[in-house]
């Protein structure tokens, strides 16, 4: 099993550009989430999903969209990149949420 | 609101000593709490969890204590080793809902 796979690992965007961060898991986990991690800010929840077809907003959803058309995939879309979105993005999945998440290795995004 | 905070951003501990990392939470409705370890350049890794109906839970070299009266959580690491050097996060969640993370404590091991 590959676990949680995030692509790309690194990305540089210009302000105003859009892009999609990919996240896939092969563990048949129902729960998936996206977090961003800024220095000194810990992990902040962007969007989360409790199953295919169901998504909800987290703490910092503005500027991001998600969809969950399959159990395996949970892409994160940046609509119009801004320097404030420079961060490390982590995708995570779980079979039972109270047992904790399995995290991907992250995508380091820089917006110039 | 739903927030999880930490008492100390950095903790330095002598190798072989015990480490205690603290966490304060604000949501009295949280059903469970989880500690994660994050090494440099990697995603967080699950360490141990505790349900809100428990006061203490032990794992291998780690113990988590929960004090619901003062909304306080702690992670104790016994006989701290160089490999324990990392950032530690506490997180809280409500069943079938989201998990909210705290800001993290960096554990630095002194030789």
């Amino acid at each position: 099993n590959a676990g949680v796979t995030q692509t790309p690992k690194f990305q540089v965007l210009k302000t105003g550009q859009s892009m999609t961060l990919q996240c896939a898991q092969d563990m048949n986990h129902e729960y998936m989430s996206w977090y961003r991690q800024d220095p000194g800010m810990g992990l902040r929840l962007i969007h989360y999903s409790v199953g295919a077809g169901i998504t909800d907003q987290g703490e910092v959803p503005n500027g991001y969209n998600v969809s969950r058309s399959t159990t395996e995939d949970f892409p994160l879309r940046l609509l119009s990149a801004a320097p404030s979105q420079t961060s490390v993005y982590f995708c995570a999945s779980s079979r039972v949420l109270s047992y904790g998440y399995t995290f991907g290795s992250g995508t380091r995004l820089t917006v110039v | 609101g739903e927030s999880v905070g930490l008492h100390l951003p950095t903790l330095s501990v002598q190798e072989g000593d015990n480490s205690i990392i603290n966490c304060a939470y604000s949501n009295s409705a949280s059903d469970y709490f989880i500690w994660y370890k994050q090494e440099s350049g990697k995603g967080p890794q699950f360490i141990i969890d505790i349900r809100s109906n428990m006061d203490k839970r032990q794992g291998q070299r780690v113990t988590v204590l929960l004090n619901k009266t003062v909304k306080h959580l702690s992670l104790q690491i016994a006989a701290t080793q160089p490999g324990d050097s990392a950032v530690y996060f506490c997180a809280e969640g409500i069943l079938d809902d989201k998990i909210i993370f705290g800001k993290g404590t960096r554990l630095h091991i002194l030789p």
Side-chain angles (χ1 to χ4, degrees):
Chain A
N1 288 347
V4 179
T5 302
Q6 291 185 238
T7 56
K9 293 190 181 302
F10 301 93
Q11 182 71 48
V12 179
L13 287 178
K14 293 182 179 179
T15 297
Q17 286 185 318
S18 62
M19 80 159 294
T20 299
L21 306 185
Q22 301 293 342
C23 176
Q25 52 90 9
D26 60 357
M27 298 172 284
N28 200 32
H29 286 174
E30 292 296 323
Y31 299 93
M32 296 187 76
S33 289
W34 276 102
Y35 291 87
R36 61 176 288 175
Q37 185 173 30
D38 304 321
M41 294 296 292
L43 286 88
R44 291 185 290 172
L45 181 64
I46 305 172
H47 286 284
Y48 64 103
S49 170
V50 299
I54 305 169
T55 64
D56 208 343
Q57 296 182 347
E59 301 169 281
V60 289
N62 293 340
Y64 307 95
N65 275 354
V66 292
S67 60
R68 186 91 182 272
S69 56
T70 67
T71 298
E72 294 77 21
D73 300 299
F74 192 41
L76 178 72
R77 298 183 187 84
L78 278 71
L79 309 173
S80 178
S84 61
Q85 294 179 305
T86 294
S87 189
V88 179
Y89 291 84
F90 287 102
C91 179
S93 73
S94 177
R95 183 183 304 279
V96 178
L97 202 58
S98 58
Y99 293 163
Y101 276 121
T102 298
F103 280 83
S105 57
T107 294
R108 185 175 295 275
L109 176 69
T110 301
V111 182
V112 297
Chain B
E2 296 174 341
S3 65
V4 179
L6 293 173
H7 294 181
L8 295 174
T10 304
L11 178 66
S12 295
V13 175
Q14 203 78 35
E15 181 178 349
D17 288 350
N18 296 336
S19 302
I20 300 176
I21 303 171
N22 295 304
C23 176
Y25 67 93
S26 61
N27 191 338
S28 58
S30 294
D31 293 305
Y32 56 92
F33 304 86
I34 303 170
W35 281 100
Y36 285 89
K37 173 185 180 183
Q38 186 179 28
E39 296 174 299
S40 181
K42 298 182 179 180
Q45 289 180 294
F46 174 92
I47 300 174
I48 191 169
D49 66 302
I50 187 169
R51 300 295 191 271
S52 61
N53 61 354
M54 302 169 67
D55 298 322
K56 178 180 180 179
R57 190 167 188 213
Q58 289 184 298
Q60 186 177 8
R61 275 203 311 120
V62 295
T63 300
V64 57
L65 300 177
L66 176 62
N67 185 331
K68 294 180 288 294
T69 302
V70 295
K71 297 181 183 175
H72 182 268
L73 192 68
S74 69
L75 176 71
Q76 300 179 4
I77 304 174
T80 309
Q81 302 169 357
D84 295 328
S85 181
V87 177
Y88 291 81
F89 295 94
C90 67
E92 59 177 322
I94 301 174
L95 287 173
D96 293 335
D97 199 59
K98 51 188 178 288
I99 292 179
I100 302 298
F101 280 73
K103 291 186 178 181
T105 294
R106 181 174 300 280
L107 180 62
H108 177 60
I109 312 304
L110 302 171

